[in-house]
Amino acid sequence: MIYELCCIANVDSGEAELSRITNIIKESLTSLGGNLLLEDDWGVKTFAQPTSAKRVKGHYVYWIFQADGNVNTEILRRLKIDESVLKYAIFKLGLDDLDSDVGKRKE
């Protein structure tokens, strides 16, 4: 299956923490047989509403990957442990035969 993952990191965490989060995703994918199709750093965005911890901004990072369900379980487990990750979500995009169309821009 093909999935997309969006992760929001604490703005105060810095580049080293963002690199570590990215490495967590990449290591989880490679160790469990997944394939990273797209990685995109969206940068710092302002939230529509402050969080319960009064945060108003977050650093968004986006991935599209091909893997089976146990990879998602491992990624979610590792993101839950990380204190610099504020929010995350994984969505199923489709079957494996769609991977050639994922990440391509329509012109």
Side-chain angles (χ1 to χ4, degrees):
M1 297 302 257
I2 299 176
Y3 299 95
E4 65 181 349
L5 165 65
C6 185
C7 179
I8 305 171
N10 187 355
V11 176
D12 302 330
S13 57
E15 283 297 318
E17 288 293 317
L18 288 173
S19 296
R20 193 176 56 74
I21 293 169
T22 300
N23 287 337
I24 287 172
I25 303 302
K26 289 179 180 178
E27 288 173 8
S28 298
L29 284 173
T30 55
S31 68
L32 296 172
N35 183 21
L36 183 64
L37 302 174
L38 175 73
E39 179 181 354
D40 194 11
D41 186 353
W42 292 350
V44 176
K45 305 282 184 191
T46 303
F47 300 143
Q49 295 179 338
T51 65
S52 59
K54 308 295 186 220
R55 298 187 196 283
V56 294
K57 293 186 178 188
H59 193 113
Y60 286 71
V61 186
Y62 177 77
W63 296 273
I64 295 179
F65 60 92
Q66 181 179 11
D68 54 1
N70 62 350
V71 175
N72 292 341
T73 305
E74 177 63 16
I75 289 173
L76 291 176
R77 184 188 71 78
R78 295 178 91 186
L79 290 176
K80 285 179 187 177
I81 295 171
D82 198 327
E83 293 181 3
S84 63
V85 175
L86 301 176
K87 294 282 184 183
Y88 49 86
I90 294 181
F91 300 99
K92 183 169 78 170
L93 293 181
L95 301 174
D96 290 338
D97 58 351
L98 299 175
D99 64 348
S100 61
D101 295 333
V102 174
K104 292 184 179 179
R105 295 183 183 185
K106 295 183 180 182
E107 297 179 24

